Amino acid sequence: MARIVAVTGNEAVAEALKQINPDVCAAYPITPQTDMMQRFAGFVSDGKVKTEIILVESEHSSMSACIGASAAGGRVITATSSQGLALMWEMLFIASGLRLPIIMPVVNRALSAPLNIHGDHSDAMGARDAGWIQLWSENTQEAYDNTIQAFRIGEHMDIRLPVIICLDGFIISHSIERIEYIEDSDVRNFVGDFKAVNPLLDIRHPVSYGPLILPDYYMEFMRAHAEPMAKVPKVVLDVAKDFEKISGRKYGLFEAYRLDDAEIGLVILNSAAGTSKDVIDEFRNKGIKAGLLKPRLYRPFPYAEVGEALKHLKAVCVLDRADAFGGSFGPVFIDIAASLYPYKERPFLINKIYGLGGRDYLPEHAALVLDELAEIVKTGKVKTFKEYIGVRE
Amino acid sequence: MKLKGWKEVEPGAVIKEPGSAMKFKTGSWRSLKPRWIPENCINCLLCWIYCPDMAVKVKDGKREDFDYDYCKGCGICALECPGKKGKKAIVMEEEAK
């Protein structure tokens, strides 16, 4: 029996972590950390979980402690946000390079400067090529569900890679929604016992982690690393199938919303996809064939599948909640452009930067973008490839 | 030695063979070479303690000659060596062929 509750995104993810009862959690306890880890620390103090919690002096240390605990042979979690993820950056590559399946919810918030702790994807986008799997979540239910599935994906014997679960800062992390919690025993059975690979604490089989690999071998190790990543999409789909059995909820590599017969479409991550779907419904009611694609598995990015899903459209706008200080297109735009490049016939593609530092993304923004796409289809002309929306002149 | 291809390397570069660093000889890094002078040696074994690698060999509690396969020529042994009556038992010399 599912429990129906009204909780914040942070409460829901902390609940998922409680149900899984990991061996070790190393977390930095102060801002930019959110109350997710405060809640989890409460479960530890109340004896609800048997997790060893290590409160460290920085996120660089929290990821370092996670790496040690994971190599030792434990199921390990942490969580962070914004500058905290930025400070972990060096260690992120070590966690993935050593093939350690650490699970880390990331509450997506802006990077300094200027200082801002509101919803923004710049933090996770900065870590997108660090060798971690990334699952993105539209709402609290998806954040909870993705957290549970992340353990099965990262710990799969064909994969053994760390996983980041993204949820929008404040909009999801601190807002209350009605969601369904899965029964504790169902979650535990679904996730299963942790199986350690080459644990340092197995003193009968001594191993060394982190050797120096010189130019004669480094490239072989990097090439080998691409293999488990290539297997991720299949594992994500297999895990989603099993998850549907305990939850009744379906998950794919991405969500295609009214996309099959669409002529114009939006590509957008996380919470803003919910707002956009409402507007797409309004456009459909007006007889305009609009659709939406919301990536879920963002790393590794399923280029071929996304390209197949979008290739028949006439015009697509990719909306990014992260910018590169004007020096590039938004990160999602670049991935969508790459996924459509192999097709001779492909949609017009434009990029809008929205919602930086917690700026509201409103239904009228989605409507303006869809109107612009309809105009592009009509005239066959793109006025501006990249533009900022919801910003004052 | 035939180098392994990418399909043969260990995931995560984990080393499962204990003591395999023995196979990685680093003596060629050296530009200065320590020379042991047994007549000045008091067998205090400070060189053995201070050597950052395992280049000072000891057998049955007695100092033996250097293992040049692993000596990188850092000179710590020569610096720490108290010698006998002011005469060092380890001196650093230019490496030459």
Side-chain angles (χ1 to χ4, degrees):
Chain A
M1 281 283 284
R3 273 185 293 150
I4 294 169
V5 291
V7 291
T8 64
N10 279 342
E11 273 181 277
V13 173
E15 176 72 17
L17 298 174
K18 181 187 88 177
Q19 292 178 308
I20 288 155
N21 190 11
D23 297 311
V24 177
C25 169
Y28 181 66
I30 313 170
T31 305
Q33 187 64 269
T34 65
D35 64 305
M36 183 195 294
M37 281 294 106
Q38 183 189 343
R39 287 173 191 280
F40 187 77
F43 295 141
V44 176
S45 303
D46 295 341
K48 300 267 171 65
V49 289
K50 290 189 177 141
T51 308
E52 183 77 34
I53 195 163
I54 311 166
L55 300 178
V56 289
E57 74 281 10
S58 78
E59 289 83 357
H60 190 278
S61 302
S62 72
M63 187 45 62
S64 301
C66 285
I67 288 166
S70 186
R75 178 177 268 161
V76 181
I77 61 156
T78 184
T80 192
S81 196
S82 180
Q83 300 302 113
L85 185 60
L87 185 51
M88 276 182 190
W89 203 76
E90 179 190 5
M91 305 314 293
L92 294 176
F93 287 78
I94 296 176
S96 59
L98 297 179
R99 305 282 302 276
L100 302 172
I102 298 161
I103 305 299
M104 175 163 68
V106 169
V107 174
N108 299 120
R109 306 207 280 190
L111 290 178
S112 285
L115 182 63
N116 175 299
I117 52 157
H118 285 271
D120 186 305
H121 299 162
S122 305
D123 52 3
M125 287 303 169
R128 72 189 186 278
D129 297 323
W132 286 58
I133 296 165
Q134 286 195 356
L135 296 171
W136 290 67
S137 330
E138 179 181 327
N139 50 40
T140 295
Q141 186 72 66
E142 288 191 12
Y144 171 82
D145 292 350
N146 278 341
T147 303
I148 295 167
Q149 291 174 74
F151 287 84
R152 281 276 300 274
I153 297 163
E155 293 172 7
H156 192 286
M157 283 301 165
D158 290 346
I159 308 292
R160 305 303 287 195
L161 286 172
V163 188
I164 283 173
I165 302 104
C166 292
L167 58 150
D168 278 350
F170 292 98
I171 301 163
I172 301 304
S173 66
H174 292 63
S175 307
I176 293 176
E177 281 186 85
R178 172 210 176 275
I179 74 153
E180 295 178 14
Y181 281 161
I182 302 163
E183 202 66 46
D184 287 2
S185 56
D186 286 347
V187 173
R188 261 175 226 144
N189 289 335
F190 175 80
V191 171
D193 288 336
F194 183 74
K195 291 184 192 74
V197 175
N198 299 323
L200 281 169
L201 289 181
D202 180 359
I203 53 171
R204 272 189 291 267
H205 302 96
V207 292
S208 297
Y209 275 82
L212 171 72
I213 302 290
L214 293 170
D216 60 345
Y217 267 108
Y218 184 83
M219 199 150 167
E220 278 66 33
F221 278 102
M222 297 312 279
R223 173 64 188 88
H225 202 110
E227 284 307 286
M229 267 297 185
K231 291 176 183 162
V232 170
K234 185 187 178 299
V235 171
V236 168
L237 292 175
D238 289 347
V239 169
K241 237 178 254 167
D242 284 354
F243 187 76
E244 191 185 345
K245 286 177 205 153
I246 63 161
S247 67
R249 291 183 289 278
K250 281 184 203 293
Y251 284 94
L253 304 177
F254 51 83
E255 182 190 343
Y257 185 75
R258 306 189 83 162
L259 206 56
D260 285 347
D261 65 338
E263 289 176 356
I264 56 173
L266 306 177
V267 177
I268 194 160
L269 282 167
N270 273 16
S271 66
T275 311
S276 303
K277 283 185 238 175
D278 280 351
V279 179
I280 280 166
D281 290 346
E282 286 169 20
F283 272 65
R284 284 277 178 174
N285 292 341
K286 288 191 280 184
I288 299 163
K289 287 183 174 170
L292 172 142
L293 186 141
K294 177 189 78 184
R296 173 180 178 239
L297 177 66
Y298 184 62
R299 278 295 178 274
F301 194 76
Y303 290 96
E305 294 86 345
V306 168
E308 264 315 291
L310 290 174
K311 69 173 199 296
H312 64 280
L313 275 75
K314 291 181 178 159
V316 171
C317 176
V318 183
L319 291 111
D320 271 287
R321 198 167 211 147
D323 193 19
F325 296 111
S328 165
F329 286 99
V332 185
F333 177 87
I334 295 168
D335 285 318
I336 298 298
S339 63
L340 286 168
Y341 185 77
Y343 299 96
K344 217 171 172 181
E345 298 274 320
R346 51 181 184 247
F348 286 106
L349 204 55
I350 59 169
N351 189 201
K352 303 283 185 200
I353 306 295
Y354 76 97
L356 300 182
R359 174 61 50 88
D360 279 334
Y361 174 75
L362 300 169
E364 49 261 43
H365 295 137
L368 275 172
V369 172
L370 287 168
D371 283 338
E372 186 179 334
L373 289 175
E375 187 65 20
I376 289 171
V377 173
K378 210 165 91 186
T379 60
K381 285 202 178 76
V382 173
K383 277 187 202 141
T384 321
F385 283 104
K386 182 191 174 190
E387 217 173 16
Y388 297 79
I389 58 173
V391 67
R392 289 184 301 278
E393 288 297 330
Chain B
M1 192 174 71
K2 191 180 174 292
L3 294 172
K4 288 178 185 170
W6 68 264
K7 289 176 187 168
E8 301 160 291
V9 298
E10 187 65 32
V14 174
I15 296 175
K16 291 166 144 179
E17 185 190 346
S20 61
M22 289 278 285
K23 294 180 180 170
F24 189 50
K25 295 185 177 169
T26 50
S28 64
W29 298 9
R30 193 172 55 235
S31 66
L32 288 172
K33 185 177 186 175
R35 182 164 62 85
W36 181 46
I37 308 165
E39 57 267 31
N40 295 339
C41 179
I42 57 169
N43 205 52
C44 66
L45 302 184
L46 279 177
C47 51
W48 175 76
I49 292 169
Y50 278 100
C51 177
D53 207 301
M54 298 280 278
V56 177
K57 293 291 158 194
V58 174
K59 198 178 174 190
D60 302 327
K62 293 267 190 239
R63 174 71 155 87
E64 295 197 326
D65 207 350
F66 287 103
D67 184 341
Y68 290 109
D69 278 349
Y70 305 104
C71 172
K72 300 176 188 72
C74 70
I76 292 173
C77 56
L79 185 78
E80 295 298 335
C81 178
K84 195 193 275 177
K85 296 181 180 167
K87 286 181 179 170
K88 287 269 186 188
I90 303 172
V91 291
M92 299 303 287
E93 295 175 341
E94 296 278 331
E95 185 75 55
K97 274 192 174 169

